[in-house]
Amino acid sequence: MSKEYQPVHGVWTSRWVFVLAAAGSAVGLGNIWKFPYIAGDYGGGAFVLVYLICIALVGIPIMIAEIGLGRHGGLSPIHTMSKLVRDNEVSRKWTGVGFLGALSGFLLLTFYSVVAGWALYYVWEMGSGALDKASPEEVKAAFDGLLASPWVLLGWHTLFMVLTMGVVAHGVEKGLERAVRFLMPSLLVILLILLGYAINSGGFTQGLEFMFTFDFSALGAEGILAAMGQAFFTLSLGLGAIMAYGAYMPRQITTPGGETKHVSIGSTALIIAVLDTAVAMIAGLAIFPVVFANGLEPSQGPGLIFVTLPLAFGQMPLGLFFGTLFFLLVSFAALSSSISLGEPLVAWLVENEWSRRAAATLIGGTAWFIGIGTVLSFNVWSDATLGGNTFFDILEFTVSNIMLPLGGLLIAIFAGWIMKEPRIRKELAMQKFGVYMVWRALVRVVAPLAVLAVFVHTLWDTFGG
Ligand code: PHE
């Protein structure tokens, strides 16, 4: 018989802190770096439309399931899943969902920290004026130079990991809550300042057109699958981060008037998804105009924010200031995401009677160590490839395209088919029965089928054809 664990981590002091924390997890490199360029790649408006549909039909229902399971269990995802397995008298194998999630989150953390380190480096690089009026060659050389220097990458990766684990080590209220209370409002203010700057840059109409022109021919099946994957990644689903945060969500709150009110999971998830989507859109609207105003091409991948954007800012009035702000924004967004990657395993160790400090040191230290593999993938090990893929490529692909969808699929199936229906209904306590039925249909049928389709396509693409 497995041991009964008790919730020991405390709870968010209000529903809004949960919203900030979950939105903090959701808003990350995926919104500011990836969303704008894949939207551009797959036909702008057409992609945005499909992406929104995926968020609504797959993302939100799975997010509701994750928060619901988390709050019901009240523990780290691993112990939450074993508690749910016990309470619902289902096969012990389902505990594996918790382990899978914790492992995915941990692996994601190992390389997320390296890429977030690039953003920190650019705060420094822009702030120091090194890229002022730099030529395209110089800006490109600066980025290539960064990737070619294992020690520099390692230094920034180390700093980012220390920041992340420093927050996690302080616990739910003094660490996570304090961090998101500062990071999220700052992030929003910076984003709006940058949007204002973009509106006045002279390239705004072009930027708008680029993001919202409906070009269905550029979309294709690939685009639809990319939209699905992005919806998943950007909402932080499938690895227990949101489940862990859900465990600290209060069931009831007392209003200032002294009334007790039930905290609704459905509407909370909706708010988080809307915030996340809004940030992705505004990031696009802040980035592309600056790119166009300087007659540059919105190129692909890391190049967009690390090469094209510094180049553009380097040419503009007050560009260094706004460029520095931009990378600060990226760093804040990354930090509020990475703490949600560290929390599930640290919480699990704490439930096993570790101190938070020791747990954060162990998890952070191990993730940091594995992250060295990613650091080396860009230089010393760049030729050590498997089928042309570096260590980083393989890790990134496995986590984002295999482990996350698999985790999401299992969570949807567990919440929709395995868990005793009255329990999940009671946990969600949706006021309108119709809304509950819609959620149930989405989480039982639509979301699993959609995720499965993406999953099969990915596997087929990689190993089949
Ligand atoms: N949602 C984050 C982003 O968009 C990434 C992330 C995924 C963070 C899963 C935590 C958990 O960058």
Side-chain angles (χ1 to χ4, degrees), residues 13-21 271 275:
T13 52
S14 80
R15 172 198 188 192
W16 289 106
V17 176
F18 172 74
V19 171
L20 283 185
I271 297 171
L275 277 175

Side-chain angles (χ1 to χ4, degrees), residues 25-31 108 112 233-236 239 241 337 340-341:
S25 171
V27 171
L29 297 168
N31 302 60
L108 177 52
Y112 205 81
F233 183 79
T234 190
L235 291 179
S236 298
L239 52 66
S337 296
S340 75
L341 293 169

Side-chain angles (χ1 to χ4, degrees), residues 191-209:
L191 193 63
L192 293 177
I193 296 178
L194 288 170
L195 179 66
Y197 185 67
I199 292 177
N200 292 309
S201 66
F204 196 66
T205 352
Q206 241 179 314
L208 264 185
E209 259 173 36

Side-chain angles (χ1 to χ4, degrees), residues 214-231:
F214 285 78
D215 177 4
F216 281 97
S217 63
L219 185 65
E222 282 292 313
I224 297 177
L225 296 172
M228 219 0 246
Q230 174 64 10

